[in-house]
């Protein structure tokens, strides 16, 4: 049997801080303000008696990285996710947590620093101890770093033989507005990255819970949570000033952009993504309008491109809104028969033009609304649904909950038509990323 490190996660318990303020918050949550400046939102639910979910968010993310740290930024999450904490290497920690149902991970997003965790009620203390360890210096886990680099190198070697990876990298470049901090990892990054620098950046980004807002949802014992919060969150240092949102200055591509390229393939196949981008106010109504539009497009394309003509293996439209930049993305994804490329592009545009002029059918509207209504109803007993919605409201001031059903049912055909005509086609920002087999 492998040896297990016989010591507690924390060599000594931290000196607790205090909850200095308690107040009601939206959606049935309670908010505690801690002595170090952190805020904790919690809601007790009985949807799943064996689950507690935790999210913690602070402004920051890749937007706070310096240009000289490009390689470190690209490797950051891969390296940190495999690292050890406290006095435990990643291997030792895995063994020490055997039999526990508690996980915690740190993730740097585009504009936020995040800690995500989950546990059973009986393992709440373990999750909170792990969270405390994540606010400090990572364990000096050189072996884990070497394993991560070896694994990434093998992945990159294989990547050169997988045509789909070239397509994915190209699409990622357009979706991220050519932001170098969000580019795919390269072999050059593996040589330039510094483990010591990554740990240093981590210690700077996650130095205290005082800069974070925490969200707990699930089978919570409030007295236990109160004790854990004061011991493991309020005990971290007080921050002088919370970091603020920092936006990137990378505009999306304007006008029509075509990136059509070929790759050698053992089995000839082709794939395209058409991406429409522009500005729109981020709110629940516009989010639902874009979702209904994507649903109708998917239904039409499946019939016109796949069923009626057999030009493609599958077709799907998808839409999303970006709350930071007030932008929309409308995508059409289509693996297709290579020689039918131009015909498919024409059919894609035909239905976009049709909806812009006439809107969608009553049947298309009804199907989309029924689906969204069902997802909404099913979500009411999901801890992650409530955790995500309170987080969006308190961090981003985006209310995706209040009056959801009435807003959904109030959307009209004119709303769909105007979205396509006054935004998608009027903006006219269309990027086609197309990969074809090399002849």
């Amino acid at each position: 049997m492998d040896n297990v490190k016989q010591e507690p996660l924390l060599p000594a318990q931290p000196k607790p801080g205090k909850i200095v303020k308690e107040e009601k918050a939206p959606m049935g949550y309670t908010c505690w303000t801690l002595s170090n400046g952190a805020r904790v939102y919690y809601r007790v639910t009985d949807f799943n008696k064996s689950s507690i979910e935790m999210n913690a968010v602070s402004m920051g993310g890749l937007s706070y990285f310096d240009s000289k740290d490009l390689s470190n930024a690209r490797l950051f999450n891969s390296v940190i996710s495999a690292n050890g904490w406290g006095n435990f290497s990643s291997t030792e920690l895995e063994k020490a947590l055997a039999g526990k149902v508690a996980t915690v991970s740190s993730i740097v997003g585009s504009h936020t620093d995040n800690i995500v965790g989950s546990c059973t009620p009986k393992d709440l203390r373990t999750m909170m101890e792990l969270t405390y360890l994540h606010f400090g210096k990572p364990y000096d886990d050189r072996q884990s770093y070497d394993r991560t680099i070896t694994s990434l190198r093998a992945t990159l070697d294989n990547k050169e033989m997988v045509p789909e990876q070239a397509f994915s990298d190209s699409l990622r470049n357009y979706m991220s507005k050519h932001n170098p901090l969000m580019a795919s990892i390269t072999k050059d990054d593996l040589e330039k990255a510094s483990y010591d620098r990554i740990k240093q950046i981590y210690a700077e980004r996650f130095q205290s819970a005082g800069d974070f807002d925490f969200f707990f949802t699930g089978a919570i014992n409030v007295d236990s949570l109160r004790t854990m919060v004061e011991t493991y969150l309020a005990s971290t240092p007080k921050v002088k000033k919370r970091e603020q949102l920092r936006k990137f200055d990378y505009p999306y591509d304007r006008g029509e952009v075509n990136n059509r390229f070929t790759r050698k393939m053992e089995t000839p196949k082709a794939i395209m993504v058409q991406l429409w981008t522009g500005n729109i106010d981020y709110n629940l109504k516009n989010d639902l309008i874009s979702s209904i539009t994507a649903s109708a497009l998917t239904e039409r394309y499946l019939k016109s491109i796949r069923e009626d003509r057999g030009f493609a293996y599958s077709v799907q439209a998808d839409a999303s809104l970006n709350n930071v930049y007030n932008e929309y993305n409308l995508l059409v994804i289509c693996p297709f028969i290579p020689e039918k490329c131009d015909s498919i592009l024409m059919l894609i545009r035909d239905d976009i033009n049709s909806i812009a002029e006439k809107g969608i059918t009553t049947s298309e509207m009804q199907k989309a609304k029924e689906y969204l209504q069902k997802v909404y109803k099913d979500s009411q007993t999901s801890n992650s649904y409530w955790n995500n919605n309170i987080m969006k409201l308190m961090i981003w001031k985006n209310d995706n909950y209040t009056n959801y059903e009435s807003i959904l049912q109030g959307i009209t055909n004119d709303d769909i038509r105007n979205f396509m005509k006054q935004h998608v086609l009027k903006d006219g920002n269309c990027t086609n990323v197309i990969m074809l087999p090399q002849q």
Side-chain angles (χ1 to χ4, degrees), residues 19 41 48 151 212 288 301 357 367 387:
I19 295 171
Y41 298 84
N48 183 343
S151 175
F212 283 72
L288 291 171
Y301 292 149
E357 288 303 315
K367 282 183 183 178
N387 223 36

Side-chain angles (χ1 to χ4, degrees), residues 92-370:
E92 291 168 339
L93 188 58
E94 183 179 357
K95 294 176 182 177
L97 294 175
K100 302 283 188 182
V101 184
T103 63
V104 174
S105 57
S106 307
I107 304 166
V108 166
S110 55
H111 300 86
T112 57
D113 301 324
N114 310 274
I115 289 183
V116 180
S118 64
C119 67
T120 60
K122 71 181 182 64
D123 290 321
L124 176 62
R125 180 181 294 276
T126 299
M127 183 180 76
M128 298 301 284
E129 287 182 340
L130 288 169
T131 302
Y132 179 83
L133 290 175
H134 277 66
F135 288 108
K137 294 181 179 179
Y139 180 83
D140 190 33
D141 205 343
R142 301 278 168 176
Q143 288 186 336
S144 172
Y145 178 75
D146 291 341
R147 286 195 300 269
T148 299
I149 295 300
T150 299
S151 175
L152 288 170
R153 184 170 285 112
T155 299
L156 291 173
D157 287 339
N158 293 330
K159 183 177 179 179
E160 295 173 358
M161 298 180 286
V162 181
E164 290 84 357
Q165 287 297 330
F167 180 82
S168 177
D169 288 348
S170 181
L171 180 60
R172 178 174 180 159
N173 189 35
Y174 288 104
M175 293 288 290
S176 66
K177 306 177 190 176
H178 313 282
N179 185 339
L181 284 165
M182 297 185 186
S184 299
I185 296 171
T186 66
K187 288 183 178 179
D188 193 42
D189 290 327
L190 303 186
E191 303 303 323
K192 291 182 177 179
S194 162
Y195 180 51
D196 287 334
R197 177 58 181 151
I198 288 173
K199 288 196 303 170
Q200 181 185 359
I201 294 171
Y202 184 92
E204 294 168 357
R205 304 293 332 132
F206 293 85
Q207 60 181 294
S208 172
D211 193 37
F212 283 72
D213 286 345
F214 290 80
F215 304 88
F216 294 88
T217 307
I220 296 166
N221 178 298
V222 177
D223 289 337
S224 294
L225 183 65
R226 181 187 299 272
T227 299
M228 302 296 175
V229 162
E230 290 186 327
T231 303
Y232 300 113
L233 301 184
S235 58
T236 64
K238 187 180 180 70
V239 293
K240 294 180 180 179
K241 185 179 179 182
R242 284 192 164 215
E243 290 181 319
Q244 301 300 309
L245 173 66
R246 180 183 292 178
K247 294 185 180 182
F248 291 116
D249 189 22
Y250 292 98
Y252 49 76
D253 291 298
R254 304 282 179 172
E256 187 161 337
V257 177
N258 290 291
N259 180 10
R260 190 181 298 211
F261 60 94
T262 62
R263 283 291 183 273
K264 285 184 179 180
M265 303 179 191
E266 289 186 14
T267 305
K269 51 188 172 182
I271 185 170
M272 71 167 68
V273 168
Q274 185 170 98
L275 169 65
W276 295 82
T277 309
N279 291 105
I280 194 170
D281 290 338
Y282 185 97
N283 56 50
L284 178 55
K285 182 177 181 179
N286 284 338
D287 191 35
L288 291 171
I289 288 170
S290 68
S291 294
I292 292 171
T293 304
S295 173
L297 283 171
T298 296
E299 187 174 341
R300 292 189 181 198
Y301 292 149
L302 284 171
K303 186 174 189 311
S304 65
I305 297 174
R306 189 184 73 175
E307 295 173 13
D308 291 351
R309 295 174 176 83
F311 287 174
Y313 309 105
S314 66
V315 193
Q316 181 179 348
D318 192 19
S320 62
L321 268 57
N322 184 310
N323 63 291
V324 176
Y325 297 95
N326 287 307
E327 294 171 357
Y328 64 86
N329 282 331
L330 177 64
L331 294 91
V332 182
I333 307 159
C334 182
F336 64 97
I337 296 171
E339 57 269 22
K340 302 300 182 182
C341 182
D342 292 330
S343 297
I344 291 172
L345 286 170
M346 182 183 69
L347 290 168
I348 289 174
R349 184 62 68 95
D350 284 349
D351 278 321
I352 288 175
N353 289 337
S354 175
I355 291 177
E357 288 303 315
K358 303 174 184 177
I360 62 178
T361 67
T362 302
S363 173
E364 289 168 339
M365 179 74 81
Q366 183 178 349
K367 282 183 183 178
K369 285 186 175 181
E370 285 177 353

